Amino acid sequence: MSATSPEIDQRIVAGGIETNYHDVGSGAPVLLIHGSGPGVTAWANWRLVLPELAKTCRAIAPDMVGFGYTERPAGIEYGVDGWVAHAIGLLDALGIEQTDLIGNSFGGAIALALAIRHPQRVRKLVLMGSVGVPFDITRELDAVWGYEPSLAAMRGLLDIFAHDRSLVNDELAELRYQASIRPGFQESFSAMFPAPRQRWVDAMASAEADIRAIRHKTLVIHGRDDRVIPLSNSLTLNRWIDDSQLHVFGRCGHWVQIEHNREFNQLVSNFLAE
């Protein structure tokens, strides 16, 4: 791990893209795909999950192309095809034929699309606060994707993400604001989801028939009080994916893995170990 920042770890060329990723623990592999908040990195998203999963699994968490400390190739067009190809490129580069897959929010849509297009590469699927089905964009998601850097704007977003306001302090807001203005971060972020943003929700959705055809054992997780991604998304996924179970956390916003960290880690570890 880098001495300069815990967010910077190992580097590998994945699908032609120099990729920053974390790779901890040993055992059956599990690939974790982060969400799409401004300034997000795999580490910011999964820092409370990786050490726990590493006790029983090989946990791999990349910065997806366009985010964090992964290379941003000139002229790249961001979209589901590219993100799925990047994830598959990482598995190929690491010599992993099959993995468990955990996707958070935006990452849920990528995980869903990957499982549909490359079913043999996935063993079990975990979708948390997931995009990937049709829904009307929430005012809050519109605000997240439309973020213009300022400390006040970041503070406002963190208040949206967390149900428990005590998790959101000035120090965290400052930290995430600084993360969002690192060189290249906001440029790629604003290029991904320009207004009108409903079209990006639609573009990230997989077809109902394809989701219904998923045969992987799937765990669907959502915060009951999530204002960014509606709980109805997870109810839909649970209905459409035949071999799925749904766990809803009360008193929880869009950050299940942070707000209910211990329970989240236990739930996911048990599911993967079954």
Side-chain angles (χ1 to χ4, degrees):
M1 195 172 285
S2 162
T4 51
S5 165
E7 296 184 299
I8 302 170
D9 201 358
Q10 303 185 52
R11 295 192 81 73
I12 196 167
V13 176
I17 295 162
E18 194 177 306
T19 301
N20 175 58
Y21 73 107
H22 306 268
D23 190 343
V24 291
S26 58
V30 53
L31 179 66
L32 299 95
I33 305 181
H34 58 71
S36 63
V40 75
T41 61
W43 178 253
N45 206 146
W46 301 115
R47 66 190 182 280
L48 302 179
V49 177
L50 290 170
E52 219 34 57
L53 279 182
K55 291 175 181 174
T56 51
C57 308
R58 178 186 177 188
I60 300 155
D63 288 349
M64 297 304 290
V65 64
F67 296 95
Y69 294 93
T70 286
E71 178 194 4
R72 293 166 166 77
I76 188 169
E77 282 191 26
Y78 295 107
V80 173
D81 293 349
W83 284 311
V84 168
H86 184 215
I88 290 291
L90 179 63
L91 294 177
D92 289 346
L94 295 173
I96 294 170
E97 287 187 19
Q98 191 179 59
T99 184
D100 291 324
L101 192 53
I102 303 177
N104 170 30
S105 192
F106 152 90
I110 307 309
L112 204 53
L114 193 157
I116 288 165
R117 297 170 189 198
H118 305 275
Q120 73 288 358
R121 304 300 294 267
V122 180
R123 191 182 75 106
K124 287 184 179 178
L125 191 56
V126 179
L127 304 170
M128 180 178 77
S130 187
V131 184
V133 296
F135 68 99
D136 293 333
I137 192 168
T138 60
R139 199 167 46 95
E140 289 82 358
L141 179 57
D142 200 49
V144 171
W145 281 352
Y147 168 81
E148 294 288 344
S150 76
L151 191 53
M154 181 57 79
R155 177 77 205 217
L157 288 192
L158 295 181
D159 277 336
I160 286 170
F161 278 117
H163 175 70
D164 178 0
R165 295 296 189 279
S166 70
L167 286 172
V168 178
N169 55 32
D170 293 339
E171 187 187 9
L172 179 64
E174 175 68 31
L175 200 68
R176 298 319 307 157
Y177 165 65
Q178 291 299 337
S180 76
I181 57 170
R182 291 175 189 137
F185 274 50
Q186 180 61 18
E187 290 81 347
S188 59
F189 184 70
S190 59
M192 276 177 213
F193 309 113
R197 297 186 180 88
Q198 179 65 45
R199 58 189 164 146
W200 308 121
V201 168
D202 301 340
M204 297 198 74
S206 292
E208 178 178 347
D210 290 339
I211 298 173
R212 286 186 180 275
I214 287 173
R215 292 293 168 260
H216 305 89
K217 235 186 205 325
T218 303
L219 171 63
V220 184
I221 300 172
H222 217 108
R224 181 193 64 204
D225 311 297
D226 190 338
R227 293 158 58 198
V228 181
I229 305 299
L231 173 59
S232 56
N233 276 24
S234 286
L235 299 174
T236 299
L237 286 165
N238 177 229
R239 205 166 55 242
W240 288 358
I241 300 174
D242 185 51
D243 194 359
S244 68
Q245 50 181 289
L246 170 63
H247 195 106
V248 180
F249 285 87
R251 306 182 72 188
C252 183
H254 193 53
W255 278 353
V256 181
Q257 83 281 25
I258 293 168
E259 293 193 78
H260 292 268
N261 173 249
R262 221 174 19 211
E263 296 91 336
F264 174 84
N265 288 339
Q266 191 68 60
L267 183 65
V268 170
S269 296
N270 287 348
F271 172 72
L272 297 181
E274 277 166 14

